[in-house]
Amino acid sequence: MIKAIIFDLDDTLYDQKSPFTTALTKTFNQRLSDPELAEIFNRFHDFNDRTFNQVTDAAMSLEAWQTARIRHALAPITGRISMDWAIQFEMAYQQALNHICLFNGLAATLTKLSHAFKIGIITNGPAPIQHQKLHQLQIEHFVHPDNIFISEELGIAKPDPSIFTTWAHQVGIKANEAVYVGDNAALDMTSAKHAGWQTFWFNHRQNEQMTPSVIPDQIIQSPAELNELLLALVQAASAS
């Protein structure tokens, strides 16, 4: 029986490509096609997911990681870019994050969900930036602060399954009573499964190149499908 539903943050609760595109358009003087833009964003997003644990482990400074991710993302398109430009992009990106919003319909769904289940957030990232995103999304309306886990604050980062087991222990539920919703096949699905959780893969980018090494309990391919599934869980909980 499901008692808790926990979400990833970036590109799960909001469209991370939107602020990225805004910042890149504002600072990059080269015209990009839609496929090029999609490739650059995917590389940026993948670098974020694969390497942030190096910041948590103090193997890389936050500033170095932030500039490295956009340099990595643009490498196939432009080759090496200047450090000054990378800093300008990062400033524009952080500014654009001040305008993010939940995926369409998700606020109403989370309201209903919070009345039927324990709701939580588990996200990798720098604590001040992740808290600012959550505040911009008004997550405090749906999630108790104690149920928000940010890797930098805990000193544990996905894919370490202990970040999931710690959350379940704190809330007082069994592993099989928790569901994790995330967009990353390896970082979210595999690590949550290794902790014994159920998993909902929010594959709204429909990335066929990346598949989980475990079988998710659900695969969701659009925000509308996510809302539909979550509302079905609310209805089932109300009927039981």
Side-chain angles (χ1 to χ4, degrees), residues 1-192:
M1 179 179 178
I2 297 172
K3 293 185 178 180
I5 301 175
I6 301 88
F7 295 86
D8 176 40
L9 171 56
D10 296 308
D11 223 30
T12 296
L13 292 177
Y14 74 97
D15 178 8
Q16 191 180 23
K17 189 177 178 181
S18 178
F20 177 85
T21 301
T22 297
L24 197 63
T25 302
K26 184 176 180 179
T27 59
F28 196 53
N29 59 11
Q30 181 176 328
R31 187 175 181 83
L32 297 167
S33 66
D34 288 342
E36 285 176 326
L37 183 57
E39 178 189 353
I40 293 167
F41 172 73
N42 287 339
R43 286 175 61 83
F44 178 85
H45 187 39
D46 178 64
F47 188 89
N48 281 351
D49 287 345
R50 286 189 298 103
T51 64
F52 187 75
N53 60 335
Q54 295 180 31
V55 179
T56 303
D57 297 339
M60 183 186 298
S61 71
L62 175 60
E63 293 76 14
W65 175 76
Q66 287 175 326
T67 54
R69 61 184 182 174
I70 187 59
R71 298 175 88 174
H72 170 82
L74 282 168
I77 305 294
T78 65
R80 189 170 179 83
I81 61 173
S82 72
M83 182 66 73
D84 286 345
W85 182 86
I87 292 171
Q88 289 177 14
F89 166 82
E90 185 61 34
M91 291 173 63
Y93 179 60
Q94 295 304 323
Q95 185 178 36
L97 287 171
N98 292 327
H99 303 284
I100 58 174
C101 57
L102 292 167
F103 277 115
N104 188 39
L106 193 54
T109 298
L110 288 174
T111 298
K112 295 177 181 178
L113 207 67
S114 65
H115 295 153
F117 302 96
K118 294 181 184 295
I119 307 297
I121 305 290
I122 295 178
T123 176
N124 284 0
I129 293 173
Q130 299 304 83
H131 276 299
Q132 177 57 34
K133 293 175 190 174
L134 292 166
H135 180 68
Q136 173 62 28
L137 296 173
Q138 300 185 333
I139 289 299
E140 61 270 17
H141 292 171
F142 320 107
V143 184
H144 191 281
D146 290 347
N147 295 340
I148 296 173
F149 276 22
I150 299 175
S151 63
E152 187 179 61
E153 293 179 334
L154 271 73
I156 312 170
K158 297 179 294 184
D160 186 341
S162 65
I163 197 168
F164 298 95
T165 56
T166 302
W167 194 97
H169 178 74
Q170 174 175 293
V171 175
I173 62 169
K174 298 176 182 177
N176 62 4
E177 295 173 334
V179 171
Y180 191 60
V181 183
D183 69 293
N184 186 280
L187 200 67
D188 297 332
M189 299 298 96
T190 302
S191 55

